[in-house]
Amino acid sequence: MNRVGYGAMQLAGPNVWGPPDDPESARRVLRLAVELGVTFLDTANAYGPRTVNRLIGEALRPFPEGLIVGNKVGAGRGPDGSWIITDHPDTVRRQVHEALADLGAEASELTYLRLGGDGPAPPSDVPLEDALGVLVELRDQGLIRRIGLSGASPEMLARAQKMTPIAAVQNRFNLLDRSGVQVLADCEAQDIMFVPYFPLASGRLTGHEELSGPAERLGATPAQVALAWLLRRSPAVVVIPGTANPDHLRANIAAAEVAENLTDAEVARLTGLADESTAVIDQPHRSTLDALRSAAESHR
């Protein structure tokens, strides 16, 4: 698998709500991503909702051999566009079938269960085993090939593994936010793919010499260096930067080459931007949420 994937969230309309202004432009970006060698797409029923999955299906089906679409279920949107956890077993089952219909796929290569551990929506009262049991059932029926978790604590990951192998975990993690570091360590040890979301710290990376120095030396952008650091931080990491801009897409994919040329000293200085020894999974602060909303628009 190409370790630089593509996060499709920004293909929806403003605030990840409704259709984009130019659906055909969104479909062209998806096709370009695959043409440039991307083999992993990240999406969710909640993006739109259902808008992005439909765009992916329209643009790419039948999916080329080797392409994995990772789709998150167990989350949804309130009438005001707010993010909510919707992990009642009946809802999870319905969302899996909706995603297959929207994507035009007979089976999901990877379905994540979205938990409330590190996102803007609080956890629900539904036991993990009840919601995850639906995915296990659908996998046994052949509708899901791999199961993942999103927003998982180390304890939740361990509980899930008592029920089923976990192929991937998607948690918040970037240069400035190491809240997923404990789960990253578990993924490394257990050969589980770790997919950091908001890999560019939602546009808050400006002004750090640790980024600008390597960027100038390599003729790269700070964003490329931030993605390159993630690739160097752990072999378990697959990054999913998102954009609706073809030029930004090309630059993001080129971060793999930047990663090969970062020195060990540069990687160490970048790692030192945050104290991983005290990092724990948690809900994002309000200021972070505001930054995320701004970034969703500024990086289109």
Side-chain angles (χ1 to χ4, degrees):
M1 177 188 290
N2 187 335
R3 292 178 63 211
V4 180
Y6 176 71
M9 181 177 75
Q10 294 181 27
L11 295 182
N15 299 314
V16 201
W17 186 263
D21 292 336
D22 187 348
E24 181 52 33
S25 177
R27 290 188 283 264
R28 284 196 298 269
V29 168
L30 286 162
R31 289 189 286 264
L32 177 61
V34 173
E35 291 169 7
L36 293 174
V38 168
T39 56
F40 182 72
L41 301 180
D42 178 79
T43 182
N45 287 56
Y47 298 164
R50 300 183 65 179
T51 301
V52 171
N53 282 351
R54 287 168 175 160
L55 288 169
I56 292 172
E58 292 162 1
L60 299 176
R61 66 174 175 247
F63 296 146
E65 184 176 356
L67 179 68
I68 294 177
V69 178
N71 181 66
K72 292 178 289 296
V73 298
R77 308 295 290 278
D80 59 351
S82 59
W83 299 86
I84 55 177
I85 297 297
T86 55
D87 58 353
H88 185 279
D90 290 344
T91 304
V92 170
R93 182 177 288 103
R94 173 176 54 78
Q95 288 183 336
V96 171
H97 284 283
E98 287 175 347
L100 292 176
D102 293 341
L103 293 167
E106 294 183 356
S108 167
E109 291 293 337
L110 171 64
T111 294
Y112 298 94
L113 178 63
R114 183 62 168 114
L115 307 171
D118 71 341
S124 78
D125 295 329
V126 176
L128 168 70
E129 289 77 10
D130 290 358
L132 186 61
V134 173
L135 299 189
V136 173
E137 174 191 330
L138 295 175
R139 183 202 60 204
D140 293 345
Q141 294 175 8
L143 296 180
I144 294 173
R145 297 200 171 96
R146 302 172 185 86
I147 294 174
L149 300 175
S150 179
S153 66
E155 293 75 20
M156 294 293 249
L157 175 58
R159 281 172 59 185
Q161 288 176 301
K162 293 178 180 178
M163 298 178 60
T164 180
I166 297 299
V169 176
Q170 184 177 144
N171 277 25
R172 207 173 69 245
F173 190 81
N174 55 59
L175 266 174
L176 303 182
D177 182 348
R178 310 293 171 83
S179 59
V181 69
Q182 294 171 304
V183 174
L184 171 58
D186 290 341
C187 289
E188 281 184 328
Q190 299 169 47
D191 197 26
I192 297 171
M193 184 171 73
F194 183 85
V195 185
Y197 76 83
F198 296 132
L200 295 177
S202 308
R204 295 180 294 124
L205 294 173
T206 58
H208 295 281
E209 190 279 330
E210 294 88 348
L211 275 168
S212 58
E216 292 174 8
R217 182 180 69 82
L218 296 171
T221 66
Q224 287 176 313
V225 174
L227 293 173
W229 172 79
L230 284 167
L231 295 172
R232 289 286 295 273
R233 174 62 182 77
S234 169
V237 166
V238 173
V239 296
I240 50 165
T243 181
N245 183 301
D247 292 334
H248 291 171
L249 173 63
R250 293 185 180 91
N252 291 339
I253 292 172
E257 183 177 350
V258 176
E260 296 175 357
N261 293 292
L262 284 178
T263 68
D264 291 343
E266 288 169 336
V267 172
R269 284 194 291 272
L270 289 163
T271 302
L273 278 172
D275 183 2
E276 293 186 356
S277 67
T278 60
V280 294
I281 187 171
D282 61 358
Q283 302 290 313
H285 296 297
R286 178 57 53 187
S287 60
T288 301
L289 294 176
D290 291 340
L292 302 186
R293 295 188 185 100
S294 297
E297 293 308 302
S298 64
H299 291 133
R300 295 182 69 81

